[in-house]
Amino acid sequence: MKLTFDEKKLLYVYGNPDLALTRKRLYGVAGLTVDPDQNKLVLDFCRKLEDETLTDWYGQMFYFVRSEMEHYTMMQKMSRDIEEDKEWRKEDFVKPDDNV
């Protein structure tokens, strides 16, 4: 199963190691969502999770996606810290002979 980045975000925020609880949470979120585009995204993802073959390996997928999204968040924070740093210079990260 391929997941889009938005589906990974949904799984990261509302997911649970138990597939049945994840489905239940996502259907609840879909019921509370007022934006039609977001509602369609959540419901389509819920339908993806209804696949019966998913039950065998959902736990592994959940922890893999969770780990991936945590690393993504850390990298975003690090890039913001670098951009906000007044002392940051490109020369600090590039060797002088790289011809950059």
Side-chain angles (χ1 to χ4, degrees), residues 54-68:
L54 187 62
T55 56
D56 296 336
W57 52 274
Y58 171 78
Q60 293 174 346
M61 182 188 78
F62 170 77
Y63 286 114
F64 179 77
V65 169
R66 185 108 182 138
S67 173
E68 181 181 352

Side-chain angles (χ1 to χ4, degrees), residues 2 5 14 17-18 22 24 27-28 30 32-33 35-36 42 44 49 53 61 69-70 80 84-85 88 95:
K2 283 194 169 200
F5 189 71
Y14 301 109
D18 182 7
T22 299
K24 186 175 180 181
Y27 278 120
L32 295 172
T33 306
D35 179 26
V42 175
D44 288 345
L49 293 178
T53 61
M61 182 188 78
M69 294 304 289
E70 285 173 359
R80 270 195 310 269
E84 292 171 0
D85 187 8
W88 181 83
K95 293 179 185 176

Side-chain angles (χ1 to χ4, degrees), residues 8 19 28-29 37-38 40 46 49 56-57 67-68 72-73:
K8 288 179 182 181
L19 179 58
V29 168
D37 295 332
Q38 189 69 21
K40 181 179 179 341
C46 288
L49 293 178
D56 296 336
W57 52 274
S67 173
E68 181 181 352
Y72 174 78
T73 304

Side-chain angles (χ1 to χ4, degrees), residues 6 10 30 33-45 47:
D6 289 332
L10 283 172
T33 306
V34 293
D35 179 26
D37 295 332
Q38 189 69 21
N39 196 12
K40 181 179 179 341
L41 173 74
V42 175
L43 286 174
D44 288 345
F45 186 49
R47 289 184 193 105

Side-chain angles (χ1 to χ4, degrees), residues 70-97:
E70 285 173 359
H71 285 90
Y72 174 78
T73 304
M74 287 188 303
M75 293 305 289
Q76 268 190 328
K77 183 180 182 313
M78 187 184 309
S79 68
R80 270 195 310 269
D81 290 345
I82 289 172
E83 289 172 358
E84 292 171 0
D85 187 8
K86 303 296 184 217
E87 299 293 320
W88 181 83
R89 296 175 305 175
K90 182 177 172 181
E91 295 82 28
D92 294 339
F93 298 95
V94 178
K95 293 179 185 176
D97 61 330

